[in-house]
Amino acid sequence: MRLKASRNASNTNLLQDSERGINTLGKERAILEPVDPKMLQSDMLPLGSPPSSGFGKRQGLSWILFATLSVLCVLLSPVRRSNIWSAASHLDVSRAEPVDTPAVMGLTGNGRTNDILWDKYSLVIKGQRVFIHSGEFHPFRLPVPALWLDILQKVKAAGFNAISIYTHMVLINPSPGVIDFNDYRALEPLYEAARQTGIWIVLRPGPYINAETTAGGIAHWITSEVAGELRTNATDWQAAWQDYVQSIITETVPYQVTQGGPVIAIQIDNEYSQEPAGHAEYFAELEAVYLNSNIVVPLTANDPGEDRDWINGTGAVDIYGTDSYPQGFDCSNPDVWKPVVTNYHSYHESVDPGQPWYFPEFQGGSFDAWGPTAPGYDQCRILTGANFENVFNLHLWASNAKLINYYMLYGGTSWGALPFPGVYTSYDYGSAIAENRELTVKYPELKRQGLFLRSSPDFYKTDLVGNSTGGIVSVSNPAAFVTLLRNPDSAASFYIARQEISTTTETTTFKLNVATSAGKFEVPRIASGITLAGRQSKIVVTDYSFGSSSKVLYSTAQVLYAGQIGGRDVLFLYGDSTSESEAALTFNGTPRIQGGAGVSTTSSNGVTTVNFLPGIQGLVTVWDSSEQLVLYSDADTAGTFWSPEIPASSSVEFANYWQFGTNTSILVGGPYLVRNATITGSTLALRGDLNESVRLSVIAPDDVKTVTWNGIPISNDAAAASILTPQGGFSAQLQPSSAVLAIAPPALTDWRYADSLPEIQSGFSDANWTLADHTTTNIPFKPYYGDGRVLYGCDYEYCENAVLWRGHFNATENTQSVNLSINGGEAFAATVWVNDVFLNTSYGNSTNNLNILEETDDRFYFPPGSLLYGKDNVITILQDNMGLNESGSVIDEEKSPRGVRGFMLNSGDFGEWKVQGKVGGYTNYLDRVRGVLNEGGLYGERMGWHLPGFDTSSWALRSLSEGLPNATAGVGFFVTTFNLSIPEGLDVPISFTFDNSFQPYRAQLYVNGWMMGKRVSNLGPQYQFPVHQGILDYSGTNTVAVALWAMEPTAVTPTLQLTVGNVYEGGVGSIQINNPPWSPEGR
């Protein structure tokens, strides 16, 4: 992502079928003066301008036997190394042999496998034409691997068939020569969960990923140890990424689609320009590593805009894609839309017409920035809500795009030091699946779209015939804009309608001239028109097939589901309850049920035209016979239906993949979530989640006699079922257990307190701290002033979270002040003491990505009595590192100079400078489970006070709401424990909720040792921090620690409580806990 200123056999479609400046000085404080830049001899270099987002020409080979070479490709699988924490060692695997592409079929490949081919329409996977309908998910933002299955099941339930994932180099390659695929860094459990669920994966390992994450994902050690320009052909940069990329290859080779795995493509780096030449050569070097391995799936790239990068020339990839975020990233005015982008198709035709139209990232939400005016993610969920999904997604379909990934589908949490400075802990992103894993108001629209796509294989191969502006499509009202896509083999047509002015909220009604197998005519023929209720899009289908032999001549009603269930052709249509819809189709068989309230029909020449009148709410059976079932509902009711796929037996390859292992599905209405379904004999087993009593409606094969819900048999309401359909229908009332109503979070009480800033006390020894004596640095943003020493945290292995600096000096009566330039990134803070006397706090800033301040340059005056004349005095700086910048217009912006960029006494010189971050730095950090980004350099962190099991019994009892003693500026640790006893089978989203007030404090929230939140009360907006089961122990004792940093000598009164939203009965089963306790080793 970029930051801008960034069923059944009948539905098997075989081929033969057819971003800023930081150097802001003029800040006024009571005892601080802005430094006069003319007084300081410096060459200040601005940082942080908006990040830019950002192989030879494709070659074909002569073709030989398709089947034989496909088998050979499958056999080329390397032996995997064990998945352990170790120094990187590369597996010696031979390069995959080239294969010939069956050009006679009009398909293109990469010459390495025939399991993935493509033409100008779509991907063809193992002989099946596929519409890649994908959502973005970052496993590292959900550090509980057992819950990845939860996300994938929710993705699959919405009709998606793929996910796109980033991997995070900082976490996997935390120090030189070290590769770690343990715990939440592992790829294997994700690949297995995807295979279990039936989800394809596009892997995006970077090394640079952007993703609103620190350094854009580039390992922190690289930012200080590599002198060459990052993301170029610099030799030391190339050497630095080798271990990481080789390890990604080793983990991924056995999980490619060629070997029965889910991985279908790998993206090269992320959103990068092909110029200058060093960029292109960098891409070529990355590609060479993959091409010299057993990776055989296509390599892709995501152009950050319509920049024509990576299509041809050095570094060009197999499949080109472009990213698009048409609404931008300011959620402050969520009802104000930008218009749709109108040149998607023409751009694609001009640059890459022979390939399928690919969007590696299309807007699925928005990030949110720091600041009191930042709107928060609820507003982002409105800006990119169901109406946006409906209009903008379908507009994208109308451009004939057939590979689409929505960024994000589940955003998650940027816990620890994951964020880059522009965003806070939550990465909810306003997604369809919320940070706490709940389904949001955006989810039903995506599900309606996803089930339509799954039901419509004719849509996977279409030509864009034209639109209503060009005269190809005729509409009665020019306020409507309609694009025609047509399948060249079946002649099935898809008229995608939106408002001509896409931002309008006015209602538009129109009629449409269509060309069908029965001739050309205007639709609707009975209803008054097709209605677009403001910001809305619709798809009018003609000659649309469903089931084994049924066809819709046309429908202005929307298709939710089309397929075959138990030998019957089934069609589920829906429409707005406030307007008419219409469909014309041939009914087959003798009706047992037909019509219904609000439904009228007329028949002519064997075709029945069905008019759905306004006011229909709920599900209506339009036609029920032994051969066909046709249903209709309002849009909201359609959004409550699910269509779980029935997997093939485990012996079948790709048993859980639609089109490959199975084409069998059912319909289930009512529950909050239906995760999956299996049929064994005459029993249908449904698994899913409930949070309230609902009416369960099932349409299944008629040989199903028993239905179970989460393993419990359900009694059929035969009378209700017969109203739905007497064949394969089932109805019952589902009621969650009383346990759902009995969950109440415990209060957080009995806090224990200890001071966490002994560094300012007399007698504190920093003898064991790191001597900050470097005089050179690979970071290109040099110190502004000082004596030549470089005080950048990353140069001493302290790249993230809290870092402390202690500068020693001998004072005289002439010593009156110190100038300090401190760099911590957007929204940072740095508090300064001389000896034990508070001087002041320098504040970074952001106000919804405006008024950004990434570093400060201030004069601190020494109060009378604060110095020890003729003796050693110490300046102590506590700074919060907000992460490293992403790539931007300034070269190597990821090499952010976090630390002290200038230090100068008004009289005299500094002696030693010492620095301390997390114990062990990035080489020898202690917590190998939670990883390199979890801890910082606060005294309490270094002692392990945040970890479960640390003995606080000798600490003082003090409520968190009392703040620090004596209203001082400083840092204190507050620790308490609480017990949870949540029954198995319940999914209970729990959040830690601070006061929603503006006070001068920062707080780091630790839950069972994991830093799950950073509360910045003087800026906001985040005050609620979801924490998942797996970090929380649902049936045991939990430890919560708050590192409270009072930034002013004034009382701060934070509060913290547990909050529970909805409670869901169901879930994914047992969730493992991996929260290593405190140990004295290394502390």
Side-chain angles (χ1 to χ4, degrees), residues 440-556:
T440 74
V441 293
K442 294 175 60 171
Y443 186 89
E445 173 60 23
L446 287 183
K447 181 171 59 170
R448 288 188 289 260
Q449 294 176 16
L451 294 182
F452 166 79
L453 288 175
R454 198 192 71 182
S455 299
S456 307
D458 278 346
F459 193 68
Y460 306 170
K461 179 182 181 181
T462 58
D463 292 311
L464 197 158
V465 179
N467 59 52
S468 53
T469 297
I472 300 297
V473 178
S474 177
V475 294
S476 63
N477 185 346
F481 180 90
V482 180
T483 301
L484 170 59
L485 304 180
R486 178 176 290 136
N487 185 293
D489 301 327
S490 69
S493 295
F494 305 86
Y495 296 81
I496 302 179
R498 62 167 172 84
Q499 302 273 13
E500 170 68 28
I501 302 173
S502 59
T503 60
T504 186
T505 58
E506 299 295 321
T507 296
T508 294
T509 301
F510 67 98
K511 290 196 172 188
L512 170 69
N513 288 327
V514 298
T516 74
S517 57
K520 297 180 180 180
F521 47 84
E522 189 177 61
V523 299
R525 295 194 284 191
I526 298 174
S528 59
I530 303 166
T531 299
L532 298 175
R535 292 169 170 175
Q536 187 178 34
S537 285
K538 289 185 176 179
I539 302 178
V540 177
V541 299
T542 65
D543 293 317
Y544 180 87
S545 299
F546 68 97
S548 62
S549 59
S550 297
K551 181 166 286 191
V552 177
L553 181 62
Y554 72 86
S555 177
T556 70

Side-chain angles (χ1 to χ4, degrees), residues 19-40:
E19 36 281 31
R20 29 206 189 256
I22 66 170
N23 194 33
T24 304
L25 297 180
K27 181 171 64 168
E28 296 183 0
R29 297 289 304 253
I31 60 170
L32 271 69
E33 285 184 0
V35 177
D36 181 358
K38 296 180 180 178
M39 180 188 75
L40 307 173

